Amino acid sequence: MTPAISVTGLTRRYRDHLALDQISLEVQTGSIIGLLGRNGAGKTTLLRILAGQEFPSSGGVLVHGARPAENEAVLRRMVFVREDQTYPDFKVRHALRVASWFYPHWSAELADALLADFGLPADRAVKKLSRGMRSALGIVIGLAARAELTMFDEPYAGLDAVARQIFYDRLLADYAEHPRTILLSTHLIDEAAGLLERVVVIDRGRIVLTADTDDLRGVATAVSGPVLAVDEFTAGHVVWGRRRLAGQASVVVVGALDEADHLRAGSLHLDLAPLSLQQLVVQAAGQPADTLERTTA
């Protein structure tokens, strides 16, 4: 089966700034992928190139087996919702009508339901919407398009926790009924973790981790306690981010711990705590790209 996304040796340079550095990535159809990383890591640049809104400096990019840039047949099969989405001088209902002309799988029924969920007034001018309501409008278009490749770039600026939960619930429900490939760039990692089947972590223009979320459970553990005990326990393990305060130390051990490890930690009076997905992403940034790949392979 042709991958939804195939990227090979992709580089994007802006004068003296290297936004993407020789990245390669393949995404199969029918999954929800989290595109994670710090601000400025290269997430938005990658999404813009996938959406045909930028050209790469070098490397190959295929979406559904074809180059996306200036390719209407490919662009009609995707929707890209940005944090800074802009609209013409339209009312909300006009923006939805125009979207329905472009996207062949558009669901007016879903769009109407989402308008009601978010309390979006169809006859209000888009320019008079609050920031949160503009974000909600982008979400409505992104979900109602039911595009084969759906990309959201931090889509919920200005939305409160209740509205974000509506987004998550509606996304999962419609994805279950109408599977497609969804790429979600977000900094609310733990909040969105339950949605994600796979994660791609970008740091300083390079992919440092690609893995199924199930494979990441228990792959890194925070170990804390007396310095000598921590040193004894972690000998022979891959360790990240050692911190020390007075006679106490805290480190992250990479790799699954077994029952014997837990018993040994107890005998050494150490505290063990598995890292959340967000903590794992923070720790992975700046580490060699294959550190976690080896433990999740």
Side-chain angles (χ1 to χ4, degrees):
M1 182 180 295
T2 303
I5 297 169
S6 181
V7 173
T8 308
L10 176 62
T11 296
R12 182 65 170 103
R13 183 183 295 276
Y14 303 98
R15 295 187 179 179
D16 59 347
H17 173 60
L18 188 61
L20 296 174
D21 184 10
Q22 290 284 323
I23 70 169
S24 295
L25 173 68
E26 188 169 288
V27 173
Q28 299 300 323
T29 26
S31 59
I32 303 176
I33 302 101
L35 186 61
L36 313 177
R38 297 179 293 186
N39 290 339
K43 304 186 302 296
T44 296
T45 301
L46 175 59
L47 291 174
R48 286 178 58 85
I49 291 173
L50 292 173
Q53 296 181 2
E54 285 193 29
F55 291 96
S57 301
S58 62
V61 179
L62 299 177
V63 175
H64 299 299
R67 295 179 181 177
E70 300 177 344
N71 189 334
E72 184 177 353
V74 172
L75 296 178
R76 282 185 176 273
R77 299 174 68 184
M78 71 168 75
V79 61
F80 177 35
V81 178
R82 305 190 308 269
E83 179 182 12
D84 58 347
Q85 195 80 23
T86 58
Y87 300 90
D89 190 11
F90 282 167
K91 291 184 177 180
V92 169
R93 58 185 173 86
H94 295 148
L96 298 181
R97 186 181 305 165
V98 170
S100 73
W101 297 339
F102 188 80
Y103 298 110
H105 302 296
W106 179 264
S107 171
E109 180 182 0
L110 178 57
D112 289 342
L114 289 167
L115 285 184
D117 285 343
F118 288 114
L120 268 172
D123 286 321
R124 185 172 298 177
V126 174
K127 66 182 180 181
K128 292 185 178 180
L129 295 176
S130 67
R131 188 184 187 195
M133 283 192 169
R134 285 197 304 274
S135 294
L137 176 58
I139 288 170
V140 172
I141 292 173
L143 291 179
R146 286 182 175 159
E148 294 168 69
L149 175 59
T150 299
M151 298 184 288
F152 290 104
D153 185 14
E154 303 283 0
Y156 28 56
L159 292 182
D160 59 26
V162 173
R164 294 197 303 272
Q165 191 60 52
I166 290 172
F167 167 52
Y168 302 145
D169 291 345
R170 279 295 195 173
L171 184 153
L172 277 179
D174 203 62
Y175 171 77
E177 293 186 10
H178 303 275
R180 59 259 210 197
T181 305
I182 299 175
L183 202 54
L184 174 64
S185 171
T186 179
H187 67 279
L188 301 176
I189 298 171
D190 282 343
E191 188 174 286
L195 301 173
L196 307 178
E197 298 169 284
R198 190 166 179 81
V199 297
V200 177
V201 181
I202 299 183
D203 183 56
R204 288 174 283 190
R206 292 190 171 187
I207 292 177
V208 297
L209 173 66
T210 57
D212 292 341
T213 51
D214 285 346
D215 293 338
L216 294 176
R217 292 189 175 94
V219 79
T221 305
V223 179
S224 58
V227 171
L228 293 179
V230 169
D231 289 344
E232 179 181 341
F233 180 81
T234 58
H237 288 280
V238 176
V239 171
W240 288 347
R242 184 180 296 273
R243 293 184 296 174
R244 180 172 176 172
L245 180 62
Q248 299 291 302
S250 176
V251 301
V252 172
V253 171
V254 180
L257 301 181
D258 58 21
E259 184 178 354
D261 290 319
H262 284 267
L263 290 173
R264 185 162 171 254
S267 69
L268 292 170
H269 306 291
L270 297 174
D271 292 323
L272 303 181
L275 264 61
S276 69
L277 183 58
Q278 179 155 320
Q279 291 170 327
L280 184 61
V281 169
V282 169
Q283 291 289 336
Q287 301 296 333
D290 65 344
T291 304
L292 270 174
E293 301 282 0
R294 293 194 301 267
T295 63
T296 58

